[in-house]
Each structure stands twice: as structure tokens, then as C-alpha cells.
Amino acid sequence: MLGPDPRNPHPMPGFPQVCFIKNKVQNPNIEIGDYTYYDDPEGAENFERQVLYHFPFIGDRLMIGKFCALARGVRFIMNGANHKTSGISTYPFFIFGNGWERAAPQPGELPYKGDTVIGHDVWIGYDSLIMPGVRIGNGAIISARSVVTSDVPPYTVYGGNPARLIRERFAPELVAELEAIAWWDWPVERISQSLEAITGGDVEALRACVPR
């Protein structure tokens, strides 16, 4: 068995709320890896509605790796949500035109945090909010209803508002090894053959599955 077809948007018969979203996303500034799914009974195939203030003229990207699990209500705030903060008022007068466009911010006056990058094998819990420019490392877990305002190291558990480190999943030397193994980049045949090692807690067993 080679596992589910990543091109099939609904890989679980009878559960349309779970969707492999790579082939449903149309925005060229959103990149999704194979087997990453979004779980939402109100229409998981419409994942792009969870990416807010993502205006094409800004050019920022949302990049999500392979084998990520995104729970219902996960949202990504992009750089288009930012307002100018150096003046007395933060109100965006210029967007309404009719003479107010003369107050448009000059290049560099709006805060810009860059691309939002989610690694591989990341689990983001129910109703979490990811702020602009955040980078979440491989194997990280974000607990439900967290607000992630800063980068999350690989193989850590973060939670809260703002999200803070709850615990590290593995010792630093094992994290480095897991990142080097990068099982998510293996051919699906090898992944299928190595499921017990990938889902188990024995790094030695996973090490034995590495192609030689």
C-alpha cells in the first residue's frame, strides 16, 4: 500500500471535512505541501478564506510544508492587516479615496514582517491564529486557540496568547538528527514502509529506515 493519493482533495470517504488542500488553493502566493490537510466541516476545500489580509500588491507569501495538520478555525494574518503606527492616528484614511488617498503611507512606512513559513509535520490546533512573518519549525505543535506572534523552533510545543514555549519534544541533538533525516522528503513508498518508525518514539528505529 502506498497510502492515499495526495491529489485527492477528500482522502477520507464519508468525511468531506478533511481536505488535502494543495490542489484546492488558487492563490500563487500560497504554497502547500503534499498531504497537508485542513479539517473544517464548514468547507475545508475553501482553506484560502482562512488566510486574511493577503493582498497581491504586498507580495508576501504563505508557505506550508508537507504532512501538516491544520485544525478547524486556524487562521493566518498576513501583512496587509498592518496599519501605519508612526502617526497620531492609525486609521487607514487612504483606502477610502475621495481625496483621502493623499494620506497613503509612503514605501516602508507600513510594518512588514515578511513571508509566513510553516515547516513540515506541524500540527496547529483549533482556532489558532498565526501572525505575519512567523516561522514555525518542523515537527512543532501549536496548542488550541494560541496566538503565535514570534518564531517557533522545530520540535517544540507552544501555546497561549501570546504563544510561549510549553516544552521541547526532543533533546537538541535528536532534533538536529530528525531535521537531517527529513522523512517527509522520502518517496511515499519508503514512508509507507516506515510508518511504525515515523509514528513511534524511537529515533533509533527511524534511523534504521534511512536510505543508504
Side-chain angles (χ1 to χ4, degrees), residues 4 15 30 33 40 91 93 117 130 133 143 151 171 201 205 210:
F15 291 90
I30 300 177
D40 189 343
Y91 191 82
F93 291 93
V117 182
I130 314 300
S143 65
D151 292 353
V210 174

Side-chain angles (χ1 to χ4, degrees), residues 106-124:
Q106 298 303 305
E109 288 187 333
L110 287 176
Y112 182 79
K113 303 292 186 180
D115 297 333
T116 299
V117 182
I118 314 301
H120 306 286
D121 190 26
V122 173
W123 174 22
I124 304 181

Side-chain angles (χ1 to χ4, degrees), residues 177-201:
E177 183 172 6
L178 290 169
E179 296 241 74
I181 289 174
W183 64 262
W184 43 80
D185 288 332
W186 294 354
V188 67
E189 295 85 356
R190 182 171 293 275
I191 291 174
S192 297
Q193 293 165 2
S194 308
L195 287 182
E196 289 77 11
I198 292 171
T199 59

Side-chain angles (χ1 to χ4, degrees), residues 177 181 186 190 194 197 202-212:
E177 183 172 6
I181 289 174
W186 294 354
R190 182 171 293 275
S194 308
D202 185 351
V203 177
E204 177 63 34
L206 182 61
R207 190 183 298 128
C209 299
V210 174
R212 303 194 187 283

Side-chain angles (χ1 to χ4, degrees), residues 1-189:
M1 296 293 292
L2 299 182
D5 184 347
R7 298 168 297 180
N8 178 7
H10 297 291
M12 297 176 60
F15 291 90
Q17 72 187 59
V18 175
C19 179
F20 287 158
I21 53 177
K22 177 177 180 177
N23 297 307
K24 286 294 184 178
V25 168
Q26 302 297 316
N27 188 328
N29 285 334
I30 300 177
E31 301 174 18
I32 309 290
D34 287 342
Y35 300 101
T36 286
Y37 73 82
Y38 176 52
D39 182 348
D40 189 343
E42 295 182 2
E45 66 276 3
N46 297 317
F47 169 76
E48 285 184 66
R49 69 188 177 191
Q50 304 302 107
V51 184
L52 308 178
Y53 308 105
H54 197 194
F55 304 127
F57 62 86
I58 294 178
D60 52 344
R61 296 180 296 166
L62 170 62
M63 294 177 283
I64 303 176
K66 305 173 187 175
F67 295 96
C68 292
L70 311 179
R72 179 180 184 179
V74 169
R75 290 182 174 87
F76 298 86
I77 301 290
M78 303 302 286
N79 285 282
N82 288 323
H83 290 208
K84 180 180 174 182
T85 59
S86 58
I88 295 171
S89 174
T90 61
Y91 191 82
F93 291 93
F94 70 99
I95 68 174
F96 300 105
N98 293 292
W100 285 3
E101 63 274 5
R102 72 180 188 277
Q106 298 303 305
E109 288 187 333
L110 287 176
Y112 182 79
K113 303 292 186 180
D115 297 333
T116 299
V117 182
I118 314 301
H120 306 286
D121 190 26
V122 173
W123 174 22
I124 304 181
Y126 177 85
D127 262 1
S128 290
L129 187 66
I130 314 300
M131 298 302 286
V134 162
R135 292 175 176 259
I136 299 178
N138 299 321
I141 299 172
I142 307 299
S143 65
R145 290 187 168 163
S146 295
V147 179
V148 184
T149 60
S150 59
D151 292 353
V152 175
Y155 290 98
T156 56
V157 181
Y158 267 59
N161 180 8
R164 294 285 186 262
L165 175 66
I166 297 173
R167 65 180 176 90
E168 296 175 344
R169 298 184 59 201
F170 300 99
E173 62 273 15
L174 291 182
V175 169
E177 183 172 6
L178 290 169
E179 296 241 74
I181 289 174
W183 64 262
W184 43 80
D185 288 332
W186 294 354
V188 67
E189 295 85 356

